Amino acid sequence: MNYEYFSVKNKTVMVITMAFFLTLCASIFAQNQNPTDSLETIIRGGNYDEANKLNLLKQLSVHHPNPEKKLAYANELLTLAMALDSTLYISAAYLEKGNALFQKGDFSLAIDSYLEYGKTTGFEESNEEIVVIYGTMAMCYEGMGDSKMAIKYYQRAINIPEIEKDTILLATNLENLGYTYLVLKLPDSALIYFNKSGLLFKEINHEIGLAYNLANKGAAWAQLKNFEKAELNIHKSIETLEEYGHHRALCDVLIESSEIYFLNEKFDLASEFANRGLDIAKANNFKPQISAANLQLSKIYEKLETDNQSLDFYKDYIVYRDSIRNPNSIQEIANMRADFEVSLKQTEVDLKQSELDLNEAKVILLNEQKSNQRLLILTMVVILGMTGLYYWNIHKEKRKSDDLLLNILPKKTAEELKENGMVKAKKFESVTIMFTDFQAFTKYSHTLSPEVLVRTVDYYFSKFDEIIEKYSLEKIKTIGDAYMCAGGLNSESPDHHLKIVKAAFEISEFIKESKFSDLGEMAHFDIRIGINTGPVVAGVVGKKKFAYDIWGDSVNVASRMESNSQAGRINVSENTYQLIKNEFHCEYRGEIEVKNKGLMKMYFVESSKVTSVINDTQIKPKSIKKTTIPI
């Protein structure tokens, strides 16, 4: 039960942070906010000059308090701005779309929108604006459980010189960065940032900021087992939160206090603070806090051996927990295979060989006077050694040949080629093919030296190879900057269509992260991805320099999906969509004219449905306890 408590507790921080950051974003991006009701009335009634429609949509997407409507207006603004080729409004639409998705908890999609905004502006609007965007992106990564990327963006935010002019903004990012280290169970590092943010809040006499800062420090001291300092900080925080009526944060801090008393074996005080937090949470219908308080009380009464009360609270915890979240999905990871037994066997062989060499030396010494026998023995040893070396070299070269063959051909095809000296062409009824292509590659190829160009392509394709191998897919070939792979050529992979899409997401994420990496002289690219599923014919062509390839209309359609995709998007055909629609959210693009194919239905793959469930339920309760400051 203890593990589940901390699992819930660590998900209780970011709602406060989000509320603060959205308030802050509103103050920076929409300082002259107008009521949205009148704007919506104008839009619905059509009482506006058509030339002013872009500005009306922008105002609604900036100011609307409802994230669903905010997102709808941002999308409408984006469509119209693209049609009119208005870079200014395109960038504004991406920014507000990211803010709306952030409010909804769709963190991955929010990051995509912020990155699109960065492409259109180069993050050059104002340094203060960049600070807020980087801080928000950090919270998105934290919401997705990626603390490493969260720390990276918080650091970027606090290192922008302009932030020094806004004490609250700097203090908030320092506080959030400290909390990220707290979640990672690094309280010493967390306290470094909490002390910095605390001094800034004290400097401007920001009482609410200090209250949240004290609560965070209390949690850090609790991790360090210094319960006296933990109690002192948290009690001061409670007084301020009560005074200013910050009830949700007050619930979180009361439950935190209960945990400190519990760890210090002061069970009466632990029960008192947990019940107090539960009462406030029920009065305000704060479901995540109700759930956490019930679990805390269940744990306390279990320790006091009052099992019936413990069970009652645990039942209430389950009811509220299931109303706000679903079980976490476990991301697939690749397992490494160890060569331990082979190493042991090799050691055994080496020892035996050493013993054999020693015995041979003894024989030679004992028969020094028998020159004929010694010569015979030496001759036999040389012959045996040369024979052994000969066969060892043959075995070594055979292994090299086999490894090279497996790099070129699928395993079963390679075995067929070695056994028969040829490979028969085979038809596969269902294979999923993926093409990727770098956008604007030709333009960059003219500006880079041949050496740098080859190094750049190798950098990206090497990572692609790792991802493809992880999902047991087959790399078919590369053509210039195009990369082609397939799944389903191995009969042991019936879910090849799902693996291909997962691999496509990883490739897309790698490309996005590479944009923020220092690649030296190498170029940064955007990528288009296209996928189709259908029958193909596979075989080996050539005699001296043979190559494995696949043919068929399905391959051509996959290529068309790529050429009709967009930067950073995964475009799939109707065939693939029907196979993945139960596992992934897809956006229907309509029927699009395709060269030599006519009209074809296409879909953008947006996200995994499992991931989406987590975004809508899991991540929100996870973000309930981060002590940042609402303005």
Side-chain angles (χ1 to χ4, degrees), residues 29 87 91-92 94-96 98-99 110-138 141 152-153 156-157 160-162 512 515-516:
F29 299 135
T87 303
S91 65
Y94 275 124
L95 176 60
E96 297 311 324
N99 291 338
I111 289 172
D112 289 342
S113 293
Y114 289 132
L115 291 175
E116 290 295 333
Y117 167 77
K119 289 180 195 175
T120 59
T121 66
F123 286 124
E124 294 176 355
E125 291 298 309
S126 72
N127 286 333
E128 191 177 42
E129 183 179 280
I130 300 170
V131 171
V132 175
I133 292 174
Y134 280 166
T136 310
M137 290 178 70
Y141 279 112
K152 177 179 178 180
Y153 276 95
R156 285 187 175 186
I160 294 174
E162 194 72 15
K512 291 175 185 175
K515 293 179 183 179
F516 298 97

Short mmCIF file of all heavy atoms in Angstrom, two decimals, residues 29 87 91-92 94-96 98-99 110-138 141 152-153 156-157 160-162 512 515-516:
data_model
loop_
_atom_site.label_atom_id
_atom_site.label_comp_id
_atom_site.label_asym_id
_atom_site.label_seq_id
_atom_site.Cartn_x
_atom_site.Cartn_y
_atom_site.Cartn_z
N PHE A 29 0.47 37.41 -22.97
CA PHE A 29 0.01 37.36 -24.35
C PHE A 29 -1.32 38.09 -24.55
O PHE A 29 -1.73 38.35 -25.66
CB PHE A 29 -0.14 35.91 -24.80
CG PHE A 29 1.14 35.15 -24.75
CD1 PHE A 29 1.18 33.88 -24.21
CD2 PHE A 29 2.31 35.70 -25.23
CE1 PHE A 29 2.37 33.16 -24.18
CE2 PHE A 29 3.50 34.99 -25.20
CZ PHE A 29 3.53 33.73 -24.67
N THR A 87 1.74 34.74 -42.38
CA THR A 87 2.68 34.16 -41.43
C THR A 87 2.42 34.64 -40.01
O THR A 87 2.52 33.87 -39.05
CB THR A 87 4.13 34.54 -41.83
OG1 THR A 87 4.37 34.10 -43.16
CG2 THR A 87 5.13 33.89 -40.90
N SER A 91 1.51 31.90 -37.01
CA SER A 91 2.28 31.73 -35.77
C SER A 91 1.39 31.92 -34.55
O SER A 91 1.48 31.17 -33.57
CB SER A 91 3.46 32.71 -35.74
OG SER A 91 3.00 34.05 -35.70
N ALA A 92 0.49 32.92 -34.59
CA ALA A 92 -0.42 33.15 -33.46
C ALA A 92 -1.34 31.95 -33.25
O ALA A 92 -1.62 31.56 -32.11
CB ALA A 92 -1.25 34.42 -33.72
N TYR A 94 -0.74 28.76 -34.01
CA TYR A 94 0.00 27.65 -33.41
C TYR A 94 0.25 27.89 -31.92
O TYR A 94 0.17 26.96 -31.10
CB TYR A 94 1.34 27.46 -34.12
CG TYR A 94 1.26 26.62 -35.37
CD1 TYR A 94 1.71 27.12 -36.60
CD2 TYR A 94 0.74 25.34 -35.34
CE1 TYR A 94 1.63 26.36 -37.76
CE2 TYR A 94 0.66 24.56 -36.48
CZ TYR A 94 1.11 25.07 -37.69
OH TYR A 94 1.03 24.30 -38.81
N LEU A 95 0.54 29.13 -31.55
CA LEU A 95 0.79 29.44 -30.16
C LEU A 95 -0.46 29.19 -29.31
O LEU A 95 -0.40 28.51 -28.27
CB LEU A 95 1.23 30.90 -30.02
CG LEU A 95 1.45 31.41 -28.59
CD1 LEU A 95 2.52 30.60 -27.89
CD2 LEU A 95 1.81 32.88 -28.59
N GLU A 96 -1.60 29.72 -29.75
CA GLU A 96 -2.83 29.56 -28.96
C GLU A 96 -3.34 28.11 -28.99
O GLU A 96 -3.94 27.64 -28.04
CB GLU A 96 -3.91 30.52 -29.45
CG GLU A 96 -3.55 31.98 -29.28
CD GLU A 96 -3.04 32.31 -27.88
OE1 GLU A 96 -3.55 31.70 -26.90
OE2 GLU A 96 -2.12 33.14 -27.75
N GLY A 98 -1.34 25.55 -28.98
CA GLY A 98 -0.52 24.91 -27.96
C GLY A 98 -1.03 25.21 -26.56
O GLY A 98 -1.11 24.33 -25.70
N ASN A 99 -1.42 26.49 -26.32
CA ASN A 99 -1.94 26.85 -24.99
C ASN A 99 -3.23 26.10 -24.67
O ASN A 99 -3.44 25.65 -23.54
CB ASN A 99 -2.18 28.36 -24.92
CG ASN A 99 -0.88 29.15 -24.93
OD1 ASN A 99 0.17 28.63 -24.59
ND2 ASN A 99 -0.94 30.40 -25.34
N ALA A 110 0.47 19.52 -27.53
CA ALA A 110 0.81 20.90 -27.19
C ALA A 110 2.26 21.21 -27.59
O ALA A 110 2.55 22.25 -28.17
CB ALA A 110 0.61 21.14 -25.69
N ILE A 111 3.16 20.27 -27.30
CA ILE A 111 4.57 20.46 -27.66
C ILE A 111 4.71 20.60 -29.17
O ILE A 111 5.45 21.47 -29.67
CB ILE A 111 5.42 19.29 -27.14
CG1 ILE A 111 5.54 19.38 -25.61
CG2 ILE A 111 6.81 19.31 -27.76
CD1 ILE A 111 6.19 18.18 -24.97
N ASP A 112 3.99 19.77 -29.92
CA ASP A 112 4.03 19.86 -31.39
C ASP A 112 3.64 21.26 -31.86
O ASP A 112 4.27 21.83 -32.76
CB ASP A 112 3.11 18.82 -32.01
CG ASP A 112 3.64 17.40 -31.86
OD1 ASP A 112 4.85 17.27 -31.59
OD2 ASP A 112 2.86 16.46 -32.00
N SER A 113 2.58 21.79 -31.26
CA SER A 113 2.11 23.12 -31.67
C SER A 113 3.13 24.20 -31.32
O SER A 113 3.37 25.12 -32.11
CB SER A 113 0.76 23.43 -31.00
OG SER A 113 -0.25 22.58 -31.49
N TYR A 114 3.74 24.11 -30.15
CA TYR A 114 4.76 25.10 -29.77
C TYR A 114 5.95 25.03 -30.72
O TYR A 114 6.55 26.06 -31.07
CB TYR A 114 5.21 24.88 -28.33
CG TYR A 114 4.18 25.26 -27.30
CD1 TYR A 114 3.86 24.41 -26.24
CD2 TYR A 114 3.51 26.49 -27.36
CE1 TYR A 114 2.91 24.75 -25.29
CE2 TYR A 114 2.57 26.84 -26.42
CZ TYR A 114 2.27 25.96 -25.39
OH TYR A 114 1.34 26.30 -24.45
N LEU A 115 6.33 23.82 -31.12
CA LEU A 115 7.45 23.68 -32.06
C LEU A 115 7.09 24.28 -33.43
O LEU A 115 7.94 24.89 -34.09
CB LEU A 115 7.84 22.21 -32.21
CG LEU A 115 8.48 21.57 -30.97
CD1 LEU A 115 8.71 20.09 -31.19
CD2 LEU A 115 9.80 22.26 -30.64
N GLU A 116 5.83 24.08 -33.87
CA GLU A 116 5.39 24.69 -35.12
C GLU A 116 5.42 26.21 -35.01
O GLU A 116 5.79 26.91 -35.95
CB GLU A 116 3.97 24.21 -35.47
CG GLU A 116 3.88 22.76 -35.89
CD GLU A 116 4.61 22.47 -37.19
OE1 GLU A 116 4.74 23.40 -38.02
OE2 GLU A 116 5.07 21.34 -37.38
N TYR A 117 5.03 26.71 -33.84
CA TYR A 117 5.11 28.16 -33.60
C TYR A 117 6.56 28.63 -33.74
O TYR A 117 6.84 29.67 -34.35
CB TYR A 117 4.58 28.48 -32.20
CG TYR A 117 4.89 29.88 -31.74
CD1 TYR A 117 4.16 30.97 -32.20
CD2 TYR A 117 5.91 30.11 -30.83
CE1 TYR A 117 4.45 32.25 -31.78
CE2 TYR A 117 6.21 31.39 -30.40
CZ TYR A 117 5.47 32.46 -30.88
OH TYR A 117 5.77 33.73 -30.46
N GLY A 118 7.48 27.85 -33.17
CA GLY A 118 8.89 28.20 -33.25
C GLY A 118 9.40 28.24 -34.67
O GLY A 118 10.24 29.07 -35.02
N LYS A 119 8.88 27.35 -35.54
CA LYS A 119 9.32 27.34 -36.94
C LYS A 119 8.92 28.65 -37.64
O LYS A 119 9.66 29.16 -38.48
CB LYS A 119 8.68 26.18 -37.69
CG LYS A 119 9.21 24.82 -37.31
CD LYS A 119 8.48 23.77 -38.15
CE LYS A 119 8.68 22.39 -37.59
NZ LYS A 119 7.87 21.39 -38.32
N THR A 120 7.75 29.15 -37.31
CA THR A 120 7.25 30.33 -38.02
C THR A 120 7.86 31.62 -37.49
O THR A 120 7.91 32.62 -38.20
CB THR A 120 5.71 30.43 -37.90
OG1 THR A 120 5.34 30.49 -36.52
CG2 THR A 120 5.06 29.21 -38.55
N THR A 121 8.32 31.62 -36.24
CA THR A 121 8.85 32.85 -35.65
C THR A 121 10.32 32.76 -35.29
O THR A 121 10.97 33.78 -35.09
CB THR A 121 8.08 33.22 -34.36
OG1 THR A 121 8.34 32.20 -33.38
CG2 THR A 121 6.60 33.33 -34.62
N GLY A 122 10.83 31.52 -35.20
CA GLY A 122 12.20 31.35 -34.72
C GLY A 122 12.31 31.67 -33.23
O GLY A 122 13.40 31.92 -32.72
N PHE A 123 11.18 31.66 -32.49
CA PHE A 123 11.15 32.04 -31.08
C PHE A 123 11.79 33.41 -30.89
O PHE A 123 12.59 33.63 -29.99
CB PHE A 123 11.87 31.01 -30.21
CG PHE A 123 11.12 29.73 -30.03
CD1 PHE A 123 11.68 28.53 -30.36
CD2 PHE A 123 9.83 29.74 -29.53
CE1 PHE A 123 10.99 27.34 -30.20
CE2 PHE A 123 9.12 28.57 -29.36
CZ PHE A 123 9.70 27.37 -29.70
N GLU A 124 11.43 34.35 -31.76
CA GLU A 124 12.07 35.65 -31.72
C GLU A 124 11.07 36.79 -31.43
O GLU A 124 11.34 37.94 -31.69
CB GLU A 124 12.79 35.94 -33.05
CG GLU A 124 13.96 35.00 -33.30
CD GLU A 124 14.60 35.22 -34.66
OE1 GLU A 124 14.05 36.03 -35.43
OE2 GLU A 124 15.62 34.58 -34.94
N GLU A 125 9.90 36.44 -30.93
CA GLU A 125 8.90 37.49 -30.66
C GLU A 125 9.38 38.40 -29.52
O GLU A 125 9.51 39.59 -29.67
CB GLU A 125 7.56 36.85 -30.30
CG GLU A 125 6.89 36.16 -31.49
CD GLU A 125 6.58 37.13 -32.60
OE1 GLU A 125 5.97 38.16 -32.33
OE2 GLU A 125 6.96 36.86 -33.75
N SER A 126 9.60 37.81 -28.36
CA SER A 126 10.14 38.55 -27.23
C SER A 126 10.71 37.54 -26.28
O SER A 126 10.20 36.43 -26.17
CB SER A 126 9.05 39.38 -26.52
OG SER A 126 8.18 38.55 -25.81
N ASN A 127 11.77 37.93 -25.59
CA ASN A 127 12.40 36.98 -24.68
C ASN A 127 11.47 36.54 -23.57
O ASN A 127 11.50 35.40 -23.12
CB ASN A 127 13.67 37.60 -24.07
CG ASN A 127 14.80 37.64 -25.09
OD1 ASN A 127 14.83 36.82 -25.99
ND2 ASN A 127 15.69 38.59 -24.93
N GLU A 128 10.61 37.45 -23.11
CA GLU A 128 9.67 37.12 -22.05
C GLU A 128 8.68 36.05 -22.51
O GLU A 128 8.34 35.13 -21.78
CB GLU A 128 8.93 38.38 -21.61
CG GLU A 128 8.11 38.19 -20.33
CD GLU A 128 7.45 39.49 -19.90
OE1 GLU A 128 6.94 40.19 -20.78
OE2 GLU A 128 7.46 39.78 -18.69
N GLU A 129 8.26 36.17 -23.76
CA GLU A 129 7.35 35.19 -24.33
C GLU A 129 8.01 33.83 -24.43
O GLU A 129 7.41 32.80 -24.13
CB GLU A 129 6.91 35.67 -25.71
CG GLU A 129 5.90 34.77 -26.39
CD GLU A 129 5.49 35.33 -27.73
OE1 GLU A 129 4.65 36.24 -27.77
OE2 GLU A 129 6.03 34.87 -28.75
N ILE A 130 9.28 33.80 -24.82
CA ILE A 130 10.02 32.53 -24.93
C ILE A 130 10.12 31.86 -23.56
O ILE A 130 9.99 30.65 -23.44
CB ILE A 130 11.43 32.78 -25.50
CG1 ILE A 130 11.33 33.39 -26.90
CG2 ILE A 130 12.21 31.48 -25.57
CD1 ILE A 130 12.65 33.88 -27.43
N VAL A 131 10.35 32.63 -22.52
CA VAL A 131 10.46 32.09 -21.17
C VAL A 131 9.19 31.33 -20.81
O VAL A 131 9.22 30.21 -20.30
CB VAL A 131 10.70 33.22 -20.14
CG1 VAL A 131 10.58 32.66 -18.73
CG2 VAL A 131 12.08 33.82 -20.35
N VAL A 132 8.03 31.95 -21.08
CA VAL A 132 6.76 31.31 -20.75
C VAL A 132 6.57 30.03 -21.56
O VAL A 132 6.16 29.00 -21.05
CB VAL A 132 5.59 32.28 -20.98
CG1 VAL A 132 4.26 31.57 -20.76
CG2 VAL A 132 5.70 33.47 -20.05
N ILE A 133 6.90 30.09 -22.88
CA ILE A 133 6.72 28.91 -23.73
C ILE A 133 7.63 27.79 -23.28
O ILE A 133 7.21 26.64 -23.16
CB ILE A 133 6.98 29.27 -25.20
CG1 ILE A 133 5.88 30.22 -25.70
CG2 ILE A 133 7.02 28.02 -26.07
CD1 ILE A 133 6.11 30.75 -27.09
N TYR A 134 8.90 28.10 -23.01
CA TYR A 134 9.81 27.05 -22.55
C TYR A 134 9.35 26.46 -21.21
O TYR A 134 9.43 25.25 -20.99
CB TYR A 134 11.23 27.62 -22.40
CG TYR A 134 11.98 27.73 -23.71
CD1 TYR A 134 13.15 28.48 -23.81
CD2 TYR A 134 11.55 27.06 -24.85
CE1 TYR A 134 13.86 28.58 -25.01
CE2 TYR A 134 12.24 27.16 -26.05
CZ TYR A 134 13.39 27.92 -26.12
OH TYR A 134 14.08 28.01 -27.30
N GLY A 135 8.89 27.33 -20.31
CA GLY A 135 8.40 26.83 -19.03
C GLY A 135 7.19 25.93 -19.20
O GLY A 135 7.06 24.90 -18.53
N THR A 136 6.29 26.31 -20.12
CA THR A 136 5.10 25.50 -20.37
C THR A 136 5.48 24.17 -21.02
O THR A 136 4.94 23.12 -20.68
CB THR A 136 4.12 26.27 -21.28
OG1 THR A 136 3.90 27.57 -20.74
CG2 THR A 136 2.79 25.55 -21.35
N MET A 137 6.42 24.21 -21.99
CA MET A 137 6.87 22.96 -22.61
C MET A 137 7.53 22.05 -21.58
O MET A 137 7.37 20.82 -21.63
CB MET A 137 7.86 23.27 -23.75
CG MET A 137 7.19 23.91 -24.95
SD MET A 137 8.37 24.33 -26.27
CE MET A 137 8.83 22.70 -26.85
N ALA A 138 8.24 22.62 -20.63
CA ALA A 138 8.84 21.82 -19.57
C ALA A 138 7.76 21.09 -18.77
O ALA A 138 7.89 19.91 -18.44
CB ALA A 138 9.67 22.71 -18.64
N TYR A 141 6.43 18.13 -20.75
CA TYR A 141 7.29 16.95 -20.66
C TYR A 141 7.17 16.31 -19.28
O TYR A 141 7.19 15.09 -19.14
CB TYR A 141 8.75 17.33 -20.93
CG TYR A 141 9.07 17.43 -22.40
CD1 TYR A 141 9.38 18.66 -22.99
CD2 TYR A 141 9.04 16.30 -23.22
CE1 TYR A 141 9.67 18.75 -24.35
CE2 TYR A 141 9.32 16.39 -24.57
CZ TYR A 141 9.63 17.61 -25.13
OH TYR A 141 9.90 17.69 -26.47
N LYS A 152 15.62 20.15 -18.97
CA LYS A 152 16.28 20.82 -20.09
C LYS A 152 15.57 22.13 -20.43
O LYS A 152 16.20 23.19 -20.61
CB LYS A 152 16.28 19.90 -21.30
CG LYS A 152 16.87 20.50 -22.56
CD LYS A 152 16.84 19.48 -23.69
CE LYS A 152 17.37 20.06 -25.00
NZ LYS A 152 17.33 19.06 -26.09
N TYR A 153 14.23 22.12 -20.49
CA TYR A 153 13.50 23.33 -20.88
C TYR A 153 13.39 24.34 -19.73
O TYR A 153 13.37 25.54 -19.97
CB TYR A 153 12.12 22.96 -21.43
CG TYR A 153 12.18 22.58 -22.88
CD1 TYR A 153 12.31 21.25 -23.28
CD2 TYR A 153 12.17 23.55 -23.88
CE1 TYR A 153 12.40 20.90 -24.62
CE2 TYR A 153 12.25 23.22 -25.21
CZ TYR A 153 12.36 21.89 -25.58
OH TYR A 153 12.46 21.56 -26.89
N ARG A 156 16.59 26.14 -19.93
CA ARG A 156 16.57 27.11 -21.03
C ARG A 156 15.82 28.38 -20.61
O ARG A 156 16.22 29.50 -20.94
CB ARG A 156 15.90 26.50 -22.25
CG ARG A 156 16.76 25.49 -22.98
CD ARG A 156 16.09 25.05 -24.26
NE ARG A 156 16.95 24.16 -25.04
CZ ARG A 156 16.67 23.71 -26.24
NH1 ARG A 156 15.56 24.09 -26.83
NH2 ARG A 156 17.49 22.89 -26.87
N ALA A 157 14.69 28.17 -19.92
CA ALA A 157 13.87 29.31 -19.53
C ALA A 157 14.62 30.23 -18.57
O ALA A 157 14.63 31.46 -18.75
CB ALA A 157 12.57 28.82 -18.90
N ILE A 160 17.53 32.56 -20.07
CA ILE A 160 17.27 33.66 -21.00
C ILE A 160 17.44 34.98 -20.25
O ILE A 160 16.78 35.20 -19.22
CB ILE A 160 15.85 33.55 -21.59
CG1 ILE A 160 15.76 32.29 -22.47
CG2 ILE A 160 15.50 34.80 -22.39
CD1 ILE A 160 14.39 32.00 -22.99
N PRO A 161 18.32 35.86 -20.70
CA PRO A 161 18.65 37.08 -19.94
C PRO A 161 17.44 37.92 -19.57
O PRO A 161 17.37 38.49 -18.50
CB PRO A 161 19.59 37.84 -20.89
CG PRO A 161 20.19 36.77 -21.77
CD PRO A 161 19.11 35.74 -21.95
N GLU A 162 16.44 37.99 -20.46
CA GLU A 162 15.29 38.85 -20.24
C GLU A 162 14.50 38.47 -18.99
O GLU A 162 13.77 39.28 -18.42
CB GLU A 162 14.38 38.81 -21.47
CG GLU A 162 13.32 39.91 -21.52
CD GLU A 162 13.92 41.27 -21.82
OE1 GLU A 162 15.09 41.32 -22.27
OE2 GLU A 162 13.23 42.27 -21.59
N LYS A 512 12.37 15.69 -34.00
CA LYS A 512 12.03 16.90 -33.24
C LYS A 512 13.11 17.22 -32.22
O LYS A 512 13.52 18.38 -32.07
CB LYS A 512 10.69 16.70 -32.53
CG LYS A 512 9.49 16.65 -33.46
CD LYS A 512 8.22 16.33 -32.68
CE LYS A 512 7.03 16.14 -33.61
NZ LYS A 512 5.82 15.73 -32.88
N LYS A 515 16.34 18.86 -33.43
CA LYS A 515 16.34 20.29 -33.74
C LYS A 515 16.93 21.11 -32.60
O LYS A 515 17.38 22.23 -32.80
CB LYS A 515 14.91 20.76 -34.01
CG LYS A 515 14.31 20.18 -35.29
CD LYS A 515 12.89 20.67 -35.48
CE LYS A 515 12.24 20.04 -36.71
NZ LYS A 515 10.86 20.49 -36.89
N PHE A 516 16.88 20.56 -31.37
CA PHE A 516 17.40 21.30 -30.22
C PHE A 516 18.78 20.78 -29.82
O PHE A 516 19.29 21.13 -28.75
CB PHE A 516 16.42 21.18 -29.05
CG PHE A 516 15.09 21.78 -29.34
CD1 PHE A 516 14.03 20.99 -29.76
CD2 PHE A 516 14.89 23.15 -29.22
CE1 PHE A 516 12.80 21.55 -30.04
CE2 PHE A 516 13.66 23.71 -29.50
CZ PHE A 516 12.61 22.90 -29.92
#
